[in-house]
Amino acid sequence: MTIKHEPIHAGEFLLSEGAGNISREAINVAAGPALNPGQVLGLVTASGEFAPYVPTAEDGSQTAVAILYGPLGESDIVRRGRAVVRLAEVSEAHLTGLDPEGEKSLGEHFVIVR
């Protein structure tokens, strides 16, 4: 018997968000590995591109500011994506890369982790 694992769906981490699409923005994501919905993101200061949140980084991505809405494939170039950047409640169990400091940073943008 083959067991199939269903990946996380776009926006599955959202518990609630602002009316319409006020919680989301179109973003540029730095080149790199494939990313799943729910990936916590930081903003690289020098390029203005979003990248996975890394608490030990020193390029701006050490501050959590957004959560990737849908999946992105691996790429050698900058990718377009959507992210939740404000006014939302999200499920902690569906997030990737979150730590207590990242949770605090997201809260400053009114993205509340439940």
Side-chain angles (χ1 to χ4, degrees), residues 10-32:
E12 186 175 346
F13 60 89
L14 278 171
L15 300 174
S16 69
E17 64 180 323
N21 289 326
I22 196 167
S23 298
R24 303 181 210 169
E25 291 289 341
I27 61 168
N28 289 326
V29 180

Side-chain angles (χ1 to χ4, degrees), residues 34-52:
L35 300 173
N36 292 320
Q39 173 67 55
V40 178
L41 301 171
L43 183 62
V44 178
T45 307
S47 66
E49 298 166 356
F50 288 80

Side-chain angles (χ1 to χ4, degrees), residues 38-42 53 63-68 84-88 90 95-113:
Q39 173 67 55
V40 178
L41 301 171
Y53 165 66
T63 303
V65 296
I67 302 170
L68 187 64
V84 172
V85 298
R86 69 182 81 77
L87 300 174
V90 297
L95 300 182
T96 302
L98 184 68
D99 66 0
E101 195 61 35
E103 183 175 347
K104 181 179 175 185
S105 294
L106 288 172
E108 292 171 3
H109 296 274
F110 304 100
V111 176
I112 309 303
V113 178

